[in-house]
Amino acid sequence: FSIMKVAVAQVGTPASWKPEDAIAQLDAYAKDAAEQGVEHIVFPEAYIGGYPKGSTFGAYVGNRTIEGRKEFARYYNGAITVPGPHVDQLAEIANKHGLFMVVGVIEREEHGGTLYCTAVFIHPDQGYVGKHRKLMPTGSERLIWGCGDGSTLPVIETQAGVRTSATICWENYMPLLRAHYYSKGVQLYCAPTVDDRTVWASTMTHIALEGRCFVLSACQFTKQSHYPEGHPFSEPKDPNTIVIAGGSMIIGPLGNVLAGPLRETEGLLVADIDLDDILGGKFDMDVSGHYSRSDVFGLMVDEREQTFRATN
């Protein structure tokens, strides 16, 4: 029971940025993972919907451009509802391949104009079982994404009863968010991201050591050819120029790197893990147990939904 195989997919959104194209590519990766005996797979931040690196959407202090508004409308139209028909397709893929999947998506609500950077949890038997909306997009990302609230901070059990969470990109620098997941006994700490800096590996290693958990970090790998026509680039236009270089990895609870970092190429990282390594790690450090000093420190988490609603 304690031995299982996990994977992270380092892959970019197809150039159309249409959900159906991203889902078809995801299906191929899921099939590959399943054929290798994988039970749990993570896809990167904004995989469905796309990460618009370099875009300004025509916004600057005191003004917005018509072209930028049109770019946002195009981006919005490539986002998906959660749950919704595209999530149903993910559920079919998970069931077909027997995989628990954590997938980064751009989410739109059925009504309204706000987008969210979201990770969805897909169970092979139960389908869609939950989501996490990014709590605090970085400064430039707040042009296009709203902030999540405490109602989407789940730790969800996989088909094998393994507790899994999702923390998106720079949320991993929020110590109280990490403490929340540790307090819920996370075993597979999933980190969908687009952060391709080499220092990211240090952050992932620290979290594995701190939480005594397995960390599965899935980063996008993109070239200019992965972006829609007209997308702004900081480098001269060249379809082969790398935009997001990757850096995906899988790390054990004592900071041991089990796979990766994978850089400057697309690919699937697979690792065998032993969940008993978590217990061995917590023998001398359990940050939500004997190392918590709950007599000195406390953690308060408001898990109520904060979405604006009309009341009677």
Side-chain angles (χ1 to χ4, degrees):
F1 168 77
S2 67
I3 307 295
M4 64 183 297
K5 196 180 291 285
V6 299
V8 296
Q10 180 158 293
V11 59
T13 308
S16 69
W17 282 19
K18 293 180 178 179
E20 52 267 32
D21 294 335
I23 291 171
Q25 183 175 247
L26 177 147
D27 190 9
Y29 266 87
K31 180 177 184 292
D32 185 4
E35 288 174 348
Q36 297 184 55
V38 169
E39 299 176 50
H40 186 290
I41 187 170
V42 183
F43 286 85
E45 175 183 16
Y47 170 70
I48 297 177
Y51 186 80
K53 187 170 182 178
S55 289
T56 66
F57 290 87
Y60 54 95
V61 176
N63 203 7
R64 312 285 184 271
T65 66
I66 293 299
E67 292 77 16
R69 294 184 189 278
K70 289 180 179 178
E71 184 181 3
F72 178 78
R74 182 177 69 176
Y75 189 56
Y76 182 93
N77 286 329
I80 66 174
T81 55
V82 179
H86 293 103
V87 175
D88 291 342
Q89 292 176 35
L90 295 179
E92 292 173 5
I93 291 170
N95 179 261
K96 177 173 61 174
H97 299 300
L99 288 171
F100 190 98
M101 305 194 306
V102 177
V103 184
V105 308
I106 302 304
E107 177 192 1
R108 62 178 174 87
E109 294 189 314
E110 188 173 358
H111 305 291
T114 300
L115 299 177
Y116 297 93
C117 182
T118 298
V120 295
F121 299 84
I122 310 294
H123 192 288
D125 303 319
Q126 302 170 24
Y128 168 74
V129 288
K131 67 183 176 184
H132 166 59
R133 284 177 172 173
K134 195 173 187 178
L135 287 175
M136 185 54 66
T138 61
S140 57
E141 293 169 349
R142 286 177 228 169
L143 281 170
I144 49 171
W145 300 336
C147 294
D149 59 35
S151 67
T152 65
L153 301 177
V155 171
I156 292 175
E157 290 194 358
T158 71
Q159 68 273 31
V162 182
R163 295 183 294 279
T164 189
S165 67
T167 313
I168 302 170
C169 207
W170 278 18
E171 286 186 315
N172 288 282
Y173 295 118
M174 299 174 70
L176 298 184
L177 177 57
R178 301 198 307 268
H180 167 73
Y181 287 134
Y182 301 154
S183 74
K184 289 194 169 185
V186 63
Q187 296 169 292
L188 301 183
Y189 182 107
C190 303
T193 190
V194 294
D195 192 332
D196 63 354
R197 300 171 303 158
T198 55
V199 74
W200 184 252
S202 299
T203 297
M204 297 295 97
T205 302
H206 169 83
I207 290 171
L209 278 165
E210 177 182 66
R212 294 300 204 253
C213 52
F214 288 95
V215 172
L216 283 60
S217 178
C219 186
Q220 286 211 29
F221 170 75
T222 64
K223 298 180 178 181
Q224 287 189 8
S225 57
H226 286 87
Y227 292 79
E229 186 66 31
H231 185 84
F233 296 109
S234 57
E235 303 289 335
K237 190 169 183 180
D238 178 351
N240 292 316
T241 296
I242 293 174
V243 180
I244 303 174
S248 302
M249 57 195 313
I250 301 171
I251 308 173
L254 293 180
N256 46 320
V257 177
L258 304 176
L262 180 65
R263 299 193 60 82
E264 299 189 354
T265 187
E266 182 177 315
L268 185 72
L269 291 179
V270 177
D272 292 303
I273 66 171
D274 185 345
L275 296 171
D276 282 347
D277 289 347
I278 295 174
L279 301 176
K282 289 189 175 182
F283 166 65
D284 57 357
M285 185 173 162
D286 183 355
V287 293
S288 60
H290 63 257
Y291 230 83
S292 66
R293 285 308 303 269
S294 57
D295 57 323
V296 179
F297 302 108
L299 178 66
M300 183 182 72
V301 182
D302 186 348
E303 297 186 69
R304 295 174 297 174
E305 184 179 8
Q306 305 295 332
T307 303
F308 180 78
R309 292 283 186 268
T311 57
N312 294 323

